[in-house]
Amino acid sequence: MSLNPNDAIIRIQNVTKWFGSIKAVDNVSLNVPRGSFTTLLGPSGCGKTTLMRLIAGFYEADGGDIYIDCKRVNGVPPYKRNTPLVFQEYALFPHMTIFENISYGLKLKGLSKTEIKEKVDEMLQMFSLQGMENRFPRQLSGGQQQRVALARALVMGQSILLLDEPLSNLDAKLRVEVRGELRELQQRLGITTVYVTHDQDEALSMSDVIAVMDNGIIRQIGSPWEIYFKPRNKFVANFVGTVNFIQAKIKEIAGSNIIASYAGGEISIRREGYSVSPGQRVILAVRPECISISENNDGVSGANQLFGEIKKSSFLGHMIRYWVKCREQEFIVDDFNPSRHGCMSGKVNISFDGNKVHILEGEG
Amino acid sequence: MLTILCIVLATFTFVLWPLIKVVTFPTIDDYMNFFRVQRWYYAGLHSLYMTFISTISCTIIAFIFAYTIVRLDVPFKRLFRFITVLPIVSPPFIIALSYILLFGGQGIITKHLLNIKVDIYGWQGLWLVQTITFFPYAYAVIYGVLRAISTNLEYAAFNLGASPWQVFRDVIFPLCRPGVAGGALVVAINVLADFGNPLLIAGNFYTLPTEAYMQIAGWYNLPTASVLATALLLPAVTIFFLQRYWVGRRSYVTITGKEIDLAFSKTPSLVKWLLFSVCLAVTTVVILVYGVLVIGAFSQAWGYNWALTLKNFRYMLARFVEIYNSLKFAFLSSLLAASFSMVLAYIVQKKQIGINRFLDFLGILPGAIPGLFLGIGFIMAFNEKPLALTGTGLIIVLGLAFWNIPTCYSSSLAGLQQIGNSVEEAALNLGANNFRSFKDIILPLLQVPFLSGFAVSFLRAITNLSVVIFLVSPRTVVGTISILGLVQNGVWGSAAAFTVTLITIAFVVLGIAQLIMKKTGKSLDI
Ligand SMILES: Nc1ncnc2c1ncn2[C@@H]1O[C@H](COP(=O)(O)OP(=O)(O)O)[C@@H](O)[C@H]1O
Ligand SMILES: [Mg+2]
């Protein structure tokens, strides 16, 4: 997805943030398109929260610029940024009732009592919190507290919403449920959302744009589809989903196809988008579900096939995952049609479909 | 910025300056005298010896009480718990006073029951009195740790085949060892610094605090008093920091346990009833101590005429201004201590001004300084311009306030740490500026720590003797000083009436504080 930087409602340019000798955010640039759901995805400690807090103004960047709505906000204190944030641990005010919590920001804005009541009621309704306005946060369940935190941010009526791992304190089932609700709400209200998570499923299922972070650096920005099927490097491929890496060498470029040679023979990959030259060493990335597996009792491998032996398998109902050892390398293979040959064991052949193999150009 | 400057300046003036003044006042030769004059050198040994034996006896009794109250299913547990609060809200030397009323020349037991005459002044009596006076301090710490131990651990040990004794030896006791050590050190600090009890009943067993007091009260010999006070300060500071940085840190980890879900495993009956009888015996003694006081307060003449009378209370009312002084100074100093500590804690916790660690150190430092030392420090530091405060009420308020700073500071700091950064940030995020977020978020959330700091300071201030004894003037005499004077002159009845009044006031304050706390869903820890 390419976009005109002026469409970006939040623009981060070469931002760096140090904590003592730790570079928590390292020369990061990111455009958050208007109305998009943009996710910062990465392992814990990679700097997601720090980047989010730089946007909200809790920290000042040591280098680089941040623009919100085309206005440079470096040096603007947090209470003047209009960037409502939902905190990971909710940060509800423990001494205020639910009503007071949600209305606090409106009160600071100087709205009249009736206006406040009207807006808060709307939020209570939207998040099914009616009847709880006089309770205190500690009297609510985790899910309810999470909705109050969301209501407190949304009631401000800003066009931006920042969410820092808002689902991480919910139990697994609720998490999946709220995921859907949240995405639907965001689309309905058209709010530009920046979402922080370390959970790849969340990122893939909710986002328009994903920025994958590692060690303070953004490793790739793209749509969920691009991030999953066209990862730019080993880190992204590995962090998002499961992947097999294969050492290979570009043999030739034949028309619209690239021919690569690897231990199991040759494979032809569609050329689109890659700029490789013959002789170049590359790594091929193949998702487990893009490898097919079949029984083989005579021990020979055919064209574009590898011969191996199943070391381990795990039955998950809708699929079986195999760990197959082929010479030195172990492959993870998912069979999404388990009823076809039941649970296999022993000697097998695995093979790759050239259309489902991705070339990592920069690695080799 | 101005606030920060004021706070830093005040901390330096009222904590560091008196300290430096006392330590640097004597010459090297004065210090050498400490080892040359046998009496002073012995006072040091006596202090250490008494601290050592009392710490052991207090810790054992405290552990038995804590174990019984936490884990055993026995009658009178509420009474036992009450017993552990009593000495904390009482003026010091109360137990010593009762001890004289019980066993002294006119004692109920010695004279009237047994009709014997014994010399009760000496280390044995002091040991008994110190044990009864200070075991509740250790109890509070051990109780907290013992309660926090997850019962799952002992069931796990049973599950692996351990007997009840082995479970105690291998699991329960090791887990509360930090608590026991912490409690013991708290007792040690208090016994070491205690002044009232030894003054009344130690007889020839003089200790550092009583000697230092005699040097000033008797001879106005400031250099020697400073030497003795410094000799007292050294072990006190050592014990304090040992407790704070070594044990304190360990025991906190266990206190943050979850609510207990399984019932405690049963203690064998024999052990159970043995522990129970120890508690009952100590409880009886404590009840006797306080009962004697009440009887004394209502008697014509202790030891001669037991007729009921209100004359002691009439006498007390005639001198009510002294009680009123106690109340006034306690109230003002606690208010000052609690407010000052709150701001100090806020600065230490939230503002990076470069000397945070040092300020934190100054905040807790007075906890290591024996009250007597602080008192001497204040008269030496503030008897000349620009801060000539000697004889005023202000010096008492300041002395008590800074003596109480650590109590309030710790509770404010804990409160702030609980609030966490994100709640304040949430307010900023919603549009509150720094001032609004302090006013709307931090202040309301610190109400409970403020109140509990205030209440505990008040109780400590109203029952304090060691700090105020050097600071009072004829116009500013407080209750504890009057009691001391009455006791020294053998006017037992009036002394008892004063004491009963002070304890009653302390309990009323405690009750009010607890009532307010209950409304906010918290409980008061002393
Ligand atoms: N206030 C802070 N002071 C010092 N180091 C910090 C602070 N906040 C974060 N860090 C460090 O910066 C790095 C990134 O942290 P963070 O942004 O919280 O990661 P994430 O949210 O991705 O888990 C970590 O190494 C963390 O230890
Ligand atoms: Mg984070």
Side-chain angles (χ1 to χ4, degrees), chain A residues 53 56 58-59 78-80 83-85 87 89 91-96 101 104-105 107-108 138 152-153 156, chain B residues 419 421-434 436-437 439-442 444-445 519-522:
Chain A
R53 290 167 155 256
F58 298 140
Y59 302 145
Y79 51 88
K80 290 192 181 146
T83 48
L85 170 67
F87 290 78
E89 63 281 19
L92 298 178
F93 306 127
H95 59 305
M96 295 186 189
N101 260 286
Y104 184 66
K107 203 175 96 190
L108 292 171
R138 61 174 179 276
R152 187 177 69 179
M156 302 301 287
Chain B
I419 296 172
N421 286 330
S422 57
V423 176
E424 202 185 356
E425 281 169 354
L428 295 176
N429 184 252
L430 292 169
N433 59 26
N434 288 318
R436 271 313 280 260
S437 75
K439 173 177 151 285
D440 292 350
I441 310 300
I442 303 293
L445 286 176
K519 272 204 190 124
T520 56
K522 300 274 161 56

Short mmCIF file of all heavy atoms in Angstrom, two decimals, chain A residues 53 56 58-59 78-80 83-85 87 89 91-96 101 104-105 107-108 138 152-153 156, chain B residues 419 421-434 436-437 439-442 444-445 519-522:
data_model
loop_
_atom_site.label_atom_id
_atom_site.label_comp_id
_atom_site.label_asym_id
_atom_site.label_seq_id
_atom_site.Cartn_x
_atom_site.Cartn_y
_atom_site.Cartn_z
N ARG A 53 3.93 6.11 23.28
CA ARG A 53 4.01 7.19 24.26
C ARG A 53 4.65 8.44 23.68
O ARG A 53 4.39 9.54 24.14
CB ARG A 53 4.82 6.70 25.47
CG ARG A 53 4.05 5.68 26.25
CD ARG A 53 4.92 4.96 27.25
NE ARG A 53 4.03 4.48 28.29
CZ ARG A 53 3.93 5.03 29.48
NH1 ARG A 53 4.71 6.02 29.81
NH2 ARG A 53 3.06 4.58 30.34
N ALA A 56 1.73 10.10 22.09
CA ALA A 56 0.85 10.72 23.07
C ALA A 56 1.54 11.84 23.83
O ALA A 56 0.89 12.61 24.53
CB ALA A 56 0.34 9.66 24.05
N PHE A 58 4.04 11.51 26.23
CA PHE A 58 4.56 11.23 27.57
C PHE A 58 6.08 11.29 27.57
O PHE A 58 6.70 11.53 28.59
CB PHE A 58 4.10 9.87 28.07
CG PHE A 58 2.61 9.76 28.19
CD1 PHE A 58 1.96 8.60 27.83
CD2 PHE A 58 1.87 10.83 28.67
CE1 PHE A 58 0.59 8.52 27.94
CE2 PHE A 58 0.51 10.75 28.79
CZ PHE A 58 -0.14 9.58 28.41
N TYR A 59 6.67 10.99 26.43
CA TYR A 59 8.12 11.16 26.27
C TYR A 59 8.35 12.14 25.13
O TYR A 59 7.51 12.24 24.23
CB TYR A 59 8.81 9.84 25.88
CG TYR A 59 8.62 8.69 26.82
CD1 TYR A 59 8.52 7.39 26.32
CD2 TYR A 59 8.57 8.87 28.20
CE1 TYR A 59 8.38 6.30 27.17
CE2 TYR A 59 8.41 7.80 29.05
CZ TYR A 59 8.31 6.51 28.53
OH TYR A 59 8.16 5.45 29.36
N PRO A 78 1.41 16.52 26.77
CA PRO A 78 0.41 15.48 26.48
C PRO A 78 -1.03 15.99 26.57
O PRO A 78 -1.88 15.54 25.79
CB PRO A 78 0.68 14.41 27.53
CG PRO A 78 1.63 15.01 28.50
CD PRO A 78 2.34 16.09 27.81
N TYR A 79 -1.29 16.92 27.50
CA TYR A 79 -2.69 17.33 27.66
C TYR A 79 -3.17 18.27 26.58
O TYR A 79 -4.32 18.70 26.58
CB TYR A 79 -2.91 17.93 29.06
CG TYR A 79 -1.95 19.02 29.47
CD1 TYR A 79 -2.19 20.35 29.16
CD2 TYR A 79 -0.79 18.70 30.17
CE1 TYR A 79 -1.30 21.34 29.55
CE2 TYR A 79 0.10 19.67 30.57
CZ TYR A 79 -0.15 21.00 30.25
OH TYR A 79 0.72 21.96 30.63
N LYS A 80 -2.28 18.58 25.63
CA LYS A 80 -2.74 19.42 24.51
C LYS A 80 -2.69 18.65 23.19
O LYS A 80 -2.82 19.24 22.13
CB LYS A 80 -1.87 20.67 24.41
CG LYS A 80 -2.11 21.63 25.55
CD LYS A 80 -1.48 22.98 25.29
CE LYS A 80 -1.73 23.91 26.46
NZ LYS A 80 -0.57 24.81 26.64
N THR A 83 -4.84 13.00 21.90
CA THR A 83 -4.56 11.64 21.43
C THR A 83 -5.00 10.65 22.50
O THR A 83 -4.15 10.09 23.20
CB THR A 83 -3.05 11.47 21.19
OG1 THR A 83 -2.36 11.98 22.36
CG2 THR A 83 -2.58 12.20 19.98
N PRO A 84 -6.30 10.43 22.65
CA PRO A 84 -6.78 9.53 23.72
C PRO A 84 -6.12 8.15 23.62
O PRO A 84 -6.04 7.59 22.53
CB PRO A 84 -8.28 9.42 23.47
CG PRO A 84 -8.62 10.54 22.57
CD PRO A 84 -7.39 10.94 21.83
N LEU A 85 -5.66 7.69 24.77
CA LEU A 85 -4.90 6.44 24.81
C LEU A 85 -5.58 5.46 25.76
O LEU A 85 -6.00 5.85 26.84
CB LEU A 85 -3.48 6.76 25.31
CG LEU A 85 -2.54 5.61 25.66
CD1 LEU A 85 -2.17 4.83 24.41
CD2 LEU A 85 -1.28 6.13 26.31
N PHE A 87 -4.74 2.47 28.05
CA PHE A 87 -3.54 1.88 28.62
C PHE A 87 -3.68 0.37 28.75
O PHE A 87 -4.77 -0.15 28.95
CB PHE A 87 -3.28 2.47 30.02
CG PHE A 87 -2.85 3.91 29.98
CD1 PHE A 87 -3.78 4.92 29.79
CD2 PHE A 87 -1.52 4.25 30.14
CE1 PHE A 87 -3.39 6.24 29.76
CE2 PHE A 87 -1.12 5.57 30.11
CZ PHE A 87 -2.05 6.57 29.92
N GLU A 89 -2.84 -1.50 31.20
CA GLU A 89 -3.44 -1.91 32.48
C GLU A 89 -4.63 -1.01 32.81
O GLU A 89 -5.00 -0.86 33.96
CB GLU A 89 -2.40 -1.97 33.58
CG GLU A 89 -1.74 -0.68 33.93
CD GLU A 89 -0.64 -0.30 32.93
OE1 GLU A 89 -0.63 -0.83 31.80
OE2 GLU A 89 0.19 0.55 33.26
N ALA A 91 -5.47 1.81 33.67
CA ALA A 91 -5.23 3.07 34.38
C ALA A 91 -6.52 3.82 34.66
O ALA A 91 -6.60 5.03 34.50
CB ALA A 91 -4.25 3.96 33.60
N LEU A 92 -7.56 3.11 35.09
CA LEU A 92 -8.79 3.79 35.51
C LEU A 92 -8.49 4.49 36.84
O LEU A 92 -7.67 4.01 37.62
CB LEU A 92 -9.92 2.78 35.69
CG LEU A 92 -10.30 2.03 34.42
CD1 LEU A 92 -11.40 1.02 34.71
CD2 LEU A 92 -10.73 2.99 33.33
N PHE A 93 -9.16 5.59 37.08
CA PHE A 93 -8.93 6.31 38.34
C PHE A 93 -9.67 5.58 39.45
O PHE A 93 -10.90 5.53 39.46
CB PHE A 93 -9.43 7.75 38.24
CG PHE A 93 -8.85 8.49 37.07
CD1 PHE A 93 -9.66 9.12 36.15
CD2 PHE A 93 -7.48 8.53 36.87
CE1 PHE A 93 -9.12 9.80 35.06
CE2 PHE A 93 -6.93 9.20 35.79
CZ PHE A 93 -7.75 9.84 34.88
N PRO A 94 -8.94 4.97 40.40
CA PRO A 94 -9.58 4.08 41.36
C PRO A 94 -10.53 4.79 42.32
O PRO A 94 -11.40 4.16 42.89
CB PRO A 94 -8.39 3.47 42.13
CG PRO A 94 -7.25 4.38 41.89
CD PRO A 94 -7.48 5.05 40.57
N HIS A 95 -10.35 6.11 42.49
CA HIS A 95 -11.18 6.83 43.45
C HIS A 95 -12.38 7.48 42.78
O HIS A 95 -13.12 8.21 43.43
CB HIS A 95 -10.34 7.88 44.15
CG HIS A 95 -9.73 8.89 43.21
ND1 HIS A 95 -8.95 8.51 42.16
CD2 HIS A 95 -9.82 10.23 43.15
CE1 HIS A 95 -8.56 9.59 41.49
NE2 HIS A 95 -9.08 10.64 42.07
N MET A 96 -12.58 7.24 41.49
CA MET A 96 -13.72 7.84 40.80
C MET A 96 -14.67 6.73 40.35
O MET A 96 -14.24 5.63 40.03
CB MET A 96 -13.25 8.61 39.56
CG MET A 96 -12.39 9.80 39.84
SD MET A 96 -12.08 10.68 38.30
CE MET A 96 -10.84 11.85 38.83
N ASN A 101 -15.12 8.58 35.84
CA ASN A 101 -13.99 8.20 35.00
C ASN A 101 -14.22 8.61 33.55
O ASN A 101 -13.38 9.26 32.94
CB ASN A 101 -13.77 6.68 35.05
CG ASN A 101 -12.65 6.29 35.99
OD1 ASN A 101 -11.48 6.46 35.68
ND2 ASN A 101 -13.02 5.80 37.17
N TYR A 104 -14.40 12.46 32.96
CA TYR A 104 -13.32 13.33 33.45
C TYR A 104 -12.76 14.24 32.35
O TYR A 104 -12.61 15.45 32.54
CB TYR A 104 -12.21 12.49 34.06
CG TYR A 104 -11.09 13.31 34.67
CD1 TYR A 104 -11.33 14.10 35.77
CD2 TYR A 104 -9.81 13.29 34.11
CE1 TYR A 104 -10.31 14.87 36.32
CE2 TYR A 104 -8.80 14.06 34.66
CZ TYR A 104 -9.05 14.84 35.76
OH TYR A 104 -8.05 15.60 36.30
N GLY A 105 -12.48 13.66 31.20
CA GLY A 105 -11.90 14.45 30.10
C GLY A 105 -12.86 15.53 29.62
O GLY A 105 -12.44 16.66 29.31
N LYS A 107 -15.14 16.96 31.41
CA LYS A 107 -15.21 17.97 32.45
C LYS A 107 -14.04 18.96 32.30
O LYS A 107 -14.21 20.17 32.42
CB LYS A 107 -15.14 17.28 33.82
CG LYS A 107 -15.73 18.09 34.96
CD LYS A 107 -15.74 17.31 36.25
CE LYS A 107 -14.53 17.64 37.08
NZ LYS A 107 -14.34 16.75 38.23
N LEU A 108 -12.87 18.42 32.01
CA LEU A 108 -11.71 19.28 31.83
C LEU A 108 -11.88 20.22 30.65
O LEU A 108 -11.38 21.34 30.64
CB LEU A 108 -10.45 18.44 31.63
CG LEU A 108 -9.98 17.64 32.83
CD1 LEU A 108 -8.87 16.70 32.42
CD2 LEU A 108 -9.49 18.56 33.93
N ARG A 138 -12.81 -1.06 40.86
CA ARG A 138 -12.47 -2.36 41.46
C ARG A 138 -13.67 -3.29 41.56
O ARG A 138 -13.52 -4.48 41.80
CB ARG A 138 -11.83 -2.17 42.83
CG ARG A 138 -12.73 -1.49 43.83
CD ARG A 138 -12.12 -1.43 45.22
NE ARG A 138 -13.02 -0.74 46.12
CZ ARG A 138 -13.07 0.59 46.25
NH1 ARG A 138 -12.26 1.34 45.54
NH2 ARG A 138 -13.94 1.16 47.07
N ARG A 152 -13.78 5.81 28.03
CA ARG A 152 -13.17 7.03 28.51
C ARG A 152 -12.35 7.71 27.40
O ARG A 152 -12.27 8.93 27.34
CB ARG A 152 -12.26 6.70 29.70
CG ARG A 152 -11.69 7.92 30.38
CD ARG A 152 -10.88 7.57 31.59
NE ARG A 152 -9.63 6.90 31.23
CZ ARG A 152 -8.73 6.51 32.13
NH1 ARG A 152 -8.96 6.69 33.42
NH2 ARG A 152 -7.63 5.90 31.75
N ALA A 153 -11.75 6.88 26.54
CA ALA A 153 -10.97 7.45 25.45
C ALA A 153 -11.87 7.91 24.30
O ALA A 153 -11.68 8.99 23.75
CB ALA A 153 -9.95 6.42 24.94
N MET A 156 -14.13 11.32 24.14
CA MET A 156 -13.52 12.60 23.80
C MET A 156 -13.83 13.02 22.37
O MET A 156 -13.62 14.17 22.00
CB MET A 156 -12.00 12.53 23.99
CG MET A 156 -11.55 12.16 25.39
SD MET A 156 -12.13 13.30 26.64
CE MET A 156 -11.11 14.71 26.31
N ILE B 419 0.01 3.89 43.18
CA ILE B 419 -0.75 4.61 42.15
C ILE B 419 -0.17 4.32 40.77
O ILE B 419 -0.89 4.17 39.81
CB ILE B 419 -0.72 6.13 42.42
CG1 ILE B 419 -1.45 6.43 43.73
CG2 ILE B 419 -1.40 6.88 41.29
CD1 ILE B 419 -1.32 7.86 44.18
N ASN B 421 2.54 5.07 37.46
CA ASN B 421 2.65 6.22 36.58
C ASN B 421 1.46 6.38 35.67
O ASN B 421 1.05 7.48 35.36
CB ASN B 421 3.90 6.10 35.71
CG ASN B 421 5.15 6.37 36.52
OD1 ASN B 421 5.10 7.13 37.48
ND2 ASN B 421 6.23 5.74 36.15
N SER B 422 0.87 5.25 35.24
CA SER B 422 -0.06 5.36 34.13
C SER B 422 -1.35 6.07 34.51
O SER B 422 -1.96 6.71 33.66
CB SER B 422 -0.34 3.99 33.53
OG SER B 422 -0.85 3.14 34.50
N VAL B 423 -1.74 6.01 35.78
CA VAL B 423 -2.97 6.69 36.17
C VAL B 423 -2.81 8.20 36.01
O VAL B 423 -3.69 8.89 35.49
CB VAL B 423 -3.37 6.35 37.61
CG1 VAL B 423 -4.59 7.14 38.03
CG2 VAL B 423 -3.66 4.87 37.72
N GLU B 424 -1.64 8.70 36.41
CA GLU B 424 -1.40 10.12 36.24
C GLU B 424 -1.29 10.47 34.76
O GLU B 424 -1.80 11.50 34.31
CB GLU B 424 -0.13 10.51 36.98
CG GLU B 424 -0.07 11.98 37.33
CD GLU B 424 1.25 12.38 37.96
OE1 GLU B 424 2.09 11.49 38.19
OE2 GLU B 424 1.44 13.57 38.21
N GLU B 425 -0.66 9.60 34.01
CA GLU B 425 -0.54 9.84 32.57
C GLU B 425 -1.90 9.83 31.89
O GLU B 425 -2.15 10.58 30.94
CB GLU B 425 0.38 8.80 31.92
CG GLU B 425 1.84 9.09 32.15
CD GLU B 425 2.74 7.94 31.74
OE1 GLU B 425 2.22 6.87 31.38
OE2 GLU B 425 3.95 8.12 31.79
N ALA B 426 -2.78 8.96 32.38
CA ALA B 426 -4.13 8.91 31.80
C ALA B 426 -4.81 10.25 31.95
O ALA B 426 -5.50 10.72 31.05
CB ALA B 426 -4.95 7.81 32.48
N ALA B 427 -4.59 10.91 33.10
CA ALA B 427 -5.20 12.22 33.30
C ALA B 427 -4.61 13.24 32.33
O ALA B 427 -5.33 14.02 31.71
CB ALA B 427 -4.99 12.68 34.74
N LEU B 428 -3.28 13.20 32.17
CA LEU B 428 -2.64 14.12 31.22
C LEU B 428 -3.19 13.87 29.82
O LEU B 428 -3.49 14.80 29.07
CB LEU B 428 -1.13 13.90 31.20
CG LEU B 428 -0.37 14.23 32.47
CD1 LEU B 428 1.11 13.87 32.31
CD2 LEU B 428 -0.50 15.71 32.81
N ASN B 429 -3.33 12.60 29.49
CA ASN B 429 -3.82 12.21 28.17
C ASN B 429 -5.22 12.74 27.90
O ASN B 429 -5.58 13.05 26.77
CB ASN B 429 -3.80 10.68 28.09
CG ASN B 429 -4.20 10.17 26.74
OD1 ASN B 429 -5.28 9.64 26.56
ND2 ASN B 429 -3.33 10.37 25.76
N LEU B 430 -6.02 12.87 28.96
CA LEU B 430 -7.39 13.34 28.78
C LEU B 430 -7.47 14.86 28.85
O LEU B 430 -8.55 15.43 28.81
CB LEU B 430 -8.31 12.72 29.84
CG LEU B 430 -8.51 11.22 29.69
CD1 LEU B 430 -9.20 10.65 30.91
CD2 LEU B 430 -9.32 10.92 28.44
N GLY B 431 -6.34 15.51 29.01
CA GLY B 431 -6.35 16.97 28.94
C GLY B 431 -6.10 17.70 30.25
O GLY B 431 -6.30 18.90 30.33
N ALA B 432 -5.70 16.97 31.30
CA ALA B 432 -5.41 17.65 32.56
C ALA B 432 -3.96 18.10 32.57
O ALA B 432 -3.08 17.32 32.22
CB ALA B 432 -5.66 16.71 33.74
N ASN B 433 -3.69 19.33 32.98
CA ASN B 433 -2.29 19.74 33.07
C ASN B 433 -1.69 19.24 34.37
O ASN B 433 -2.37 18.58 35.16
CB ASN B 433 -2.15 21.26 32.92
CG ASN B 433 -2.94 22.00 33.99
OD1 ASN B 433 -3.18 21.46 35.07
ND2 ASN B 433 -3.36 23.21 33.69
N ASN B 434 -0.41 19.51 34.59
CA ASN B 434 0.29 18.93 35.74
C ASN B 434 -0.40 19.24 37.06
O ASN B 434 -0.56 18.38 37.92
CB ASN B 434 1.73 19.43 35.80
CG ASN B 434 2.55 18.83 34.69
OD1 ASN B 434 2.44 17.63 34.42
ND2 ASN B 434 3.34 19.65 34.03
N ARG B 436 -3.61 20.12 37.57
CA ARG B 436 -4.91 19.42 37.66
C ARG B 436 -4.72 17.95 38.02
O ARG B 436 -5.45 17.40 38.83
CB ARG B 436 -5.66 19.50 36.32
CG ARG B 436 -6.58 20.71 36.10
CD ARG B 436 -7.47 21.01 37.25
NE ARG B 436 -8.67 20.19 37.36
CZ ARG B 436 -9.88 20.56 36.97
NH1 ARG B 436 -10.06 21.73 36.39
NH2 ARG B 436 -10.92 19.78 37.15
N SER B 437 -3.75 17.32 37.38
CA SER B 437 -3.61 15.89 37.62
C SER B 437 -3.14 15.64 39.05
O SER B 437 -3.55 14.68 39.69
CB SER B 437 -2.69 15.23 36.60
OG SER B 437 -1.36 15.54 36.87
N LYS B 439 -3.93 17.54 41.59
CA LYS B 439 -5.08 17.84 42.45
C LYS B 439 -6.19 16.78 42.31
O LYS B 439 -6.75 16.35 43.30
CB LYS B 439 -5.62 19.21 42.05
CG LYS B 439 -6.91 19.61 42.73
CD LYS B 439 -7.30 21.03 42.31
CE LYS B 439 -8.78 21.24 42.35
NZ LYS B 439 -9.54 20.65 41.27
N ASP B 440 -6.47 16.37 41.07
CA ASP B 440 -7.59 15.45 40.85
C ASP B 440 -7.24 14.00 41.10
O ASP B 440 -8.09 13.20 41.47
CB ASP B 440 -8.11 15.58 39.41
CG ASP B 440 -8.76 16.92 39.15
OD1 ASP B 440 -8.98 17.65 40.14
OD2 ASP B 440 -9.04 17.24 37.99
N ILE B 441 -6.00 13.64 40.87
CA ILE B 441 -5.65 12.21 40.91
C ILE B 441 -4.77 11.90 42.12
O ILE B 441 -5.12 11.07 42.96
CB ILE B 441 -4.90 11.79 39.62
CG1 ILE B 441 -5.67 12.26 38.39
CG2 ILE B 441 -4.68 10.29 39.61
CD1 ILE B 441 -7.06 11.72 38.26
N ILE B 442 -3.63 12.57 42.22
CA ILE B 442 -2.67 12.20 43.27
C ILE B 442 -3.20 12.51 44.67
O ILE B 442 -3.20 11.64 45.54
CB ILE B 442 -1.33 12.94 43.05
CG1 ILE B 442 -0.77 12.63 41.66
CG2 ILE B 442 -0.32 12.57 44.12
CD1 ILE B 442 -0.35 11.21 41.47
N PRO B 444 -6.31 12.95 46.00
CA PRO B 444 -7.35 12.06 46.54
C PRO B 444 -6.83 10.66 46.82
O PRO B 444 -7.22 10.03 47.80
CB PRO B 444 -8.40 12.02 45.42
CG PRO B 444 -8.14 13.19 44.58
CD PRO B 444 -6.69 13.53 44.71
N LEU B 445 -5.92 10.18 45.97
CA LEU B 445 -5.44 8.81 46.16
C LEU B 445 -4.49 8.72 47.35
O LEU B 445 -4.26 7.64 47.88
CB LEU B 445 -4.75 8.32 44.90
CG LEU B 445 -5.70 7.98 43.76
CD1 LEU B 445 -4.93 7.58 42.52
CD2 LEU B 445 -6.64 6.85 44.17
N LYS B 519 -14.44 3.45 56.07
CA LYS B 519 -15.28 4.03 55.03
C LYS B 519 -14.62 3.95 53.67
O LYS B 519 -15.27 3.77 52.66
CB LYS B 519 -15.58 5.50 55.37
CG LYS B 519 -16.80 5.64 56.25
CD LYS B 519 -17.42 7.02 56.11
CE LYS B 519 -18.47 7.21 57.19
NZ LYS B 519 -18.21 8.39 57.99
N THR B 520 -13.29 4.10 53.65
CA THR B 520 -12.61 4.05 52.36
C THR B 520 -12.15 2.63 52.03
O THR B 520 -11.45 2.42 51.06
CB THR B 520 -11.37 4.97 52.37
OG1 THR B 520 -10.54 4.58 53.44
CG2 THR B 520 -11.75 6.42 52.51
N GLY B 521 -12.55 1.68 52.86
CA GLY B 521 -12.25 0.29 52.54
C GLY B 521 -10.84 -0.15 52.88
O GLY B 521 -10.38 -1.17 52.44
N LYS B 522 -10.12 0.65 53.67
CA LYS B 522 -8.76 0.27 54.03
C LYS B 522 -8.69 0.02 55.54
O LYS B 522 -9.60 0.40 56.27
CB LYS B 522 -7.78 1.39 53.66
CG LYS B 522 -7.78 1.72 52.20
CD LYS B 522 -6.81 0.81 51.44
CE LYS B 522 -7.08 0.76 49.95
NZ LYS B 522 -7.07 2.03 49.31
#
